[in-house]
Amino acid sequence: MRHNLLIVDDEELIRQGLCARFAYLQIPVDEIFEASNGTQALGIVRDHPVDIVVTDIKMPDMDGLSLIREIRKLGQEDIWFIVLSGYAEFSYAETAIRLGVKAYLLKPLSNDEIKSTFDKLYQEMEHNGRMRSALLTQRKLTRERQEYLLEKEVNAFFAEAAGGTADGEGLRLLLAEDPAVRLGEEPCIFLAEIGVDKESYQDGGFGRKDGELIRFTVKNVFYEIEASCKKLIVNGMSDSNILYAIFLGGEEKRLRNEIERIFLKMRSVLEKKMEIYLTFGVSRCAGDLLPQSAREAHNALQQRIVYGNANLYFFEDMKLMSQQEFPSSQMHLIDQYIRKNEFHKLKALLNEIFSEGLIRRHGTSYLRIMWVRILNMLFHYYGQQAGASAGLEKLLDNYNLPDHINSLSEIRQQVTEMILECLGADSAPEANAKNKMQLAIRYLQEHYNENISVNDLAEQYNMSPNYFSSVFKKEIGASPVSYITELRMKRSMELLENSDLSVVDIARKVGYDEGQYFFRVFKKYTGMTPLNYREGRR
C-alpha cells in the first residue's frame, strides 16, 4: 500500500532528512510534498491528494495543532496525522489525541521509531479501507435490493392495472419512502411506458443477448439528464424491450414540457451513440398513482403501431391524432422534400400544417405535437452529421419556443430556419478538407473538456486518423492532441487566475480525471506548478 505524504516543518534540513530516512527505511510512499509553514501546507492539501500529514508542533505563522484544525475544517476527514515535537509537555499530547492524531513523536527520532510508527499506521489504514469497502458493498446490496423491490412493484402495478385489479398500495409505500421521488409531495404525476425498437438495434451491432446492456444504457442516460422534475425508470420484467417511467412535478404544462425535452435528449444521445430508438407512451396528468394512468400509458404506446416508432405519444393527444385532417401522414413528405432539397414544396407544406384553420380547430395542443414531431425528425436525420450537433443541442434547449412566439408566421419562419440550418450542416461531410478543419476547430473549442480521441474526430469527418492528423497540422499548425492540450491549459490558467477552485477541481473542469497527470502537463506547458502560477498571478 502506497500513500501521498505531506511533511510540514520550518527547517528544510529536517524535511530533507525525513525524506531520506523514508527512502532508507523503504517505507512505501507515492509522492512526498513539503511545506515550510501552515499556510503553504493548507494550499497543498487543497490542491493535491494527501493521505498522511507529518507536522512539527512549533512553526512561525501557524503551529501544527492549529494546522490540523484548519485541515479538518476543509472536510478532509480521510487524512491521517503524525505530530513531531521537541516538547514533552503532556498538554500538547492531550490536544493532539483530541484532534485524532495517530502518533505523537518526540525529536530526535530513531529509525526504529519511524519504521514502527508507519508500519502500525499503514496496518490501521488498510484495516479501515477494508471496513469502508465492506460498508460500501453492504450499501450497494441494500440499494440494489430496494431497486429490485421498486422494479417488482412497478411491474406488478402495470400488469394488474391491465387486468383491472391494481390498487398500487405497495408501490405508493415504496415511492413515499424513496428520497429521490417522495410520492405525495408533488400534485402532478405522469406514467410512461417506454418501448425500445428492437429492429433498430438488432440491425446494428447488438443482438438479443444484449437486451440487458441496452436497458442499462437507457436507464443511465435517463438519470444523467438534468431535469426540473422528479423522475424514475425501471425495467419491464415480462418484456425485455419495455421500461416504465414515472414523472412527478408541480404543474401539468411544465411537467409535460420536461417529458418532451427528456425524450428528445434521450433520442439525441442514444441514436447518435448506439443507434437505439425509443418510443414513449405517456398517460394524462393525475394527482395520484392511478391504475387508469398505467392503462393510458400503455394505450398511448400502442399508437406506434399506426404512426410509427421513435416518437412521443401522449394519451390526451390520441383523439386529436385520430382525426382525418391531422397531418401525421405528411411527415414523410417533409422528409422527402428535405432529402431532395425541394424547398419551395417544403414551405408550402409547412404553411398547410401550421394553417390558421387547423390551429383554431385544435388549439395549442396541436401546435405542440407538430413542433415536437418536426424536432424529433430533425434529430433523427441530422443528429449524426458532423456540424449539426451544436445546432441541434441549441434547438433542444429551445424546443418549447412556441410558448414565446406571437404569430403563426413566426412559427413557420422558425421551423423553416431550423430545417435550413440542418440542411446546411448536412453538406458538411462533403466539404473540402480546409472547411472540415474549421468545423473540427469549432467542435474542439466547445468540447475540449470531454474525452476526445483523434480516431473519433477522424470518423466524425469521414477521414482516416492519419490523414485527419496531417491535414489538421497543416491547416492549424499543431497536432490535434497539442491543440486540445493548449485549449485546456489556457482555460485552466484563466480559472487559476480568476477563481478560487482547487487545482483538482480545475483539472476535472478542463478534462483531466487524474489530478497528478494534470499537474505534470501544466508544469510542462507553463514551466511552473499550478499553485505557483496562481500565486504569481495574484
Side-chain angles (χ1 to χ4, degrees):
M1 182 181 292
R2 306 175 71 86
H3 299 283
N4 287 349
L5 182 67
L6 170 61
I7 300 174
V8 191
D9 198 298
D10 57 329
E11 295 185 35
E12 184 177 2
L13 283 176
I14 292 179
R15 299 197 305 270
Q16 292 178 351
L18 282 173
C19 291
R21 291 168 83 174
F22 287 136
Y24 173 75
L25 295 170
Q26 296 183 337
I27 296 174
V29 177
D30 256 344
E31 188 168 0
I32 298 179
F33 301 100
E34 295 182 36
S36 59
N37 57 61
T39 303
Q40 188 179 3
L42 278 174
I44 292 173
V45 170
R46 286 193 189 99
D47 295 335
H48 299 282
V50 173
D51 303 304
I52 303 169
V53 174
V54 179
T55 180
D56 190 14
I57 283 286
K58 289 291 184 179
M59 291 182 292
D61 67 330
M62 184 188 303
D63 64 55
L65 299 181
S66 298
L67 170 62
I68 294 171
R69 292 190 187 96
E70 292 301 314
I71 292 176
R72 293 293 192 205
K73 290 179 184 178
L74 296 176
Q76 302 281 12
E77 300 296 331
D78 293 334
I79 294 180
W80 300 59
F81 296 94
I82 296 176
V83 168
L84 306 179
S85 176
Y87 301 84
E89 290 88 345
F90 178 71
S91 60
Y92 284 115
E94 187 180 37
T95 303
I97 290 170
R98 286 203 308 270
L99 290 173
V101 171
K102 292 300 176 182
Y104 185 89
L105 306 178
L106 298 178
K107 300 176 183 177
L109 303 176
S110 69
N111 286 344
D112 288 343
E113 192 173 14
I114 294 175
K115 179 69 171 160
S116 172
T117 297
F118 272 85
D119 283 347
K120 291 178 181 177
L121 184 63
Y122 276 21
Q123 287 175 11
E124 188 173 352
M125 292 175 77
E126 187 174 356
H127 173 73
N128 280 20
R130 288 196 300 269
M131 294 291 289
R132 187 182 292 111
S133 178
L135 180 61
L136 291 174
T137 300
Q138 183 60 42
R139 288 176 179 173
K140 181 183 177 183
L141 291 172
T142 301
R143 185 172 62 253
E144 287 176 351
R145 182 177 179 276
Q146 291 171 339
E147 290 174 356
Y148 170 75
L149 290 175
L150 183 60
E151 186 175 278
K152 182 180 176 182
E153 287 294 336
V154 170
N155 275 266
F157 178 73
F158 271 81
E160 292 168 3
T165 61
D167 60 16
E169 194 56 36
L171 180 56
R172 282 192 190 88
L173 291 173
L174 280 176
L175 292 177
E177 296 172 358
D178 191 316
V181 177
R182 297 205 183 281
L183 183 66
E185 292 185 353
E186 303 290 355
C188 185
I189 302 173
F190 281 99
L191 300 187
E193 188 169 331
I194 301 172
V196 181
D197 182 2
K198 61 182 178 181
E199 292 180 1
S200 69
Y201 65 78
Q202 286 180 359
D203 290 341
F206 298 97
R208 291 184 179 179
K209 65 181 185 303
D210 297 315
E212 283 305 311
L213 171 62
I214 290 166
R215 295 202 295 182
F216 176 78
T217 304
V218 170
K219 289 167 68 176
N220 275 350
V221 172
F222 179 88
Y223 283 121
E224 285 175 3
I225 295 173
E226 293 185 5
S228 61
C229 65
K230 298 175 182 177
K231 55 188 172 68
L232 69 86
I233 188 170
V234 300
N235 291 336
M237 290 181 167
S238 60
D239 189 335
S240 62
N241 292 304
I242 291 293
L243 299 97
Y244 300 112
I246 302 177
F247 301 90
L248 301 94
E251 195 264 323
E252 179 178 351
K253 183 179 179 181
R254 186 173 298 174
L255 185 54
R256 172 166 173 155
N257 223 31
E258 277 296 273
I259 295 170
E260 291 170 347
R261 190 184 66 83
I262 290 167
F263 165 74
L264 290 172
K265 182 65 175 178
M266 290 184 74
R267 279 209 63 182
S268 70
V269 173
L270 291 167
E271 291 180 25
K272 184 176 180 180
K273 301 291 186 183
M274 303 179 69
E275 297 185 9
I276 295 173
Y277 296 84
L278 303 178
T279 304
F280 276 40
V282 186
S283 70
R284 289 178 295 183
C285 176
D288 193 9
L289 202 63
L290 303 178
Q292 177 65 25
S293 298
R295 291 193 290 271
E296 289 174 356
H298 179 73
N299 291 336
L301 183 62
Q302 297 310 302
Q303 294 297 296
R304 62 180 173 171
I305 298 173
V306 179
Y307 300 108
N309 285 313
N311 239 317
L312 172 64
Y313 301 105
F314 283 87
F315 182 84
E316 63 182 341
D317 301 333
M318 286 172 56
K319 183 177 179 181
L320 173 60
M321 291 171 60
S322 66
Q323 296 180 14
Q324 189 172 359
E325 63 180 349
F326 189 83
S328 286
S329 60
Q330 294 174 323
M331 287 293 104
H332 76 280
L333 288 177
I334 295 179
D335 169 33
Q336 180 181 328
Y337 295 156
I338 289 175
R339 290 180 182 276
K340 294 182 178 180
N341 288 326
E342 294 178 328
F343 196 63
H344 61 290
K345 292 183 180 180
L346 178 62
K347 290 183 70 173
L349 181 59
L350 291 174
N351 287 334
E352 180 182 335
I353 290 174
F354 292 106
S355 68
E356 291 184 12
L358 285 175
I359 299 295
R360 191 177 297 113
R361 279 193 294 276
H362 302 309
T364 56
S365 59
Y366 166 88
L367 180 61
R368 293 205 58 81
I369 296 170
M370 297 312 301
W371 181 263
V372 173
R373 287 288 178 84
I374 290 174
L375 276 179
N376 189 34
M377 185 192 66
L378 292 178
F379 270 101
H380 174 55
Y381 291 124
Y382 298 106
Q384 298 186 26
Q385 299 296 343
S389 297
L392 289 174
E393 287 296 326
K394 184 178 178 181
L395 291 179
L396 182 58
D397 292 337
N398 297 282
Y399 83 96
N400 57 337
L401 201 56
D403 294 337
H404 309 290
I405 291 180
N406 298 317
S407 69
L408 288 175
S409 60
E410 285 185 56
I411 292 174
R412 287 192 288 267
Q413 180 182 354
Q414 181 66 25
V415 173
T416 301
E417 288 176 357
M418 285 192 321
I419 295 174
L420 273 176
E421 186 174 347
C422 288
L423 282 171
D426 191 35
S427 63
E430 302 303 322
N432 60 41
K434 186 173 182 178
N435 288 341
K436 288 182 178 181
M437 292 306 105
Q438 294 305 317
L439 290 172
I441 287 294
R442 192 184 314 159
Y443 179 83
L444 290 175
Q445 288 172 346
E446 294 174 353
H447 300 273
Y448 68 90
N449 59 344
E450 299 175 4
N451 186 15
I452 302 173
S453 71
V454 175
N455 287 350
D456 291 339
L457 282 170
E459 182 180 352
Q460 187 168 326
Y461 296 98
N462 297 323
M463 302 168 75
S464 70
N466 289 338
Y467 181 58
F468 177 88
S469 296
S470 64
V471 174
F472 190 98
K473 190 166 186 178
K474 180 181 178 181
E475 294 292 335
I476 311 304
S479 69
V481 174
S482 298
Y483 185 75
I484 294 170
T485 301
E486 183 176 2
L487 290 174
R488 290 174 170 178
M489 291 299 103
K490 287 182 177 179
R491 179 57 178 155
S492 63
M493 291 159 71
E494 291 174 6
L495 292 171
L496 285 166
E497 190 172 347
N498 301 314
S499 79
D500 293 322
L501 292 172
S502 71
V503 172
V504 174
D505 288 337
I506 290 174
R508 294 194 186 102
K509 202 171 186 65
V510 300
Y512 294 98
D513 292 330
E514 293 291 335
Q516 293 298 324
Y517 180 69
F518 167 76
F519 184 90
R520 291 195 296 270
V521 174
F522 188 92
K523 189 171 184 180
K524 183 178 180 181
Y525 184 83
T526 63
M528 61 182 75
T529 66
L531 195 58
N532 288 339
Y533 179 86
R534 171 175 274 170
E535 291 173 350
R537 288 291 177 175
R538 293 188 176 182

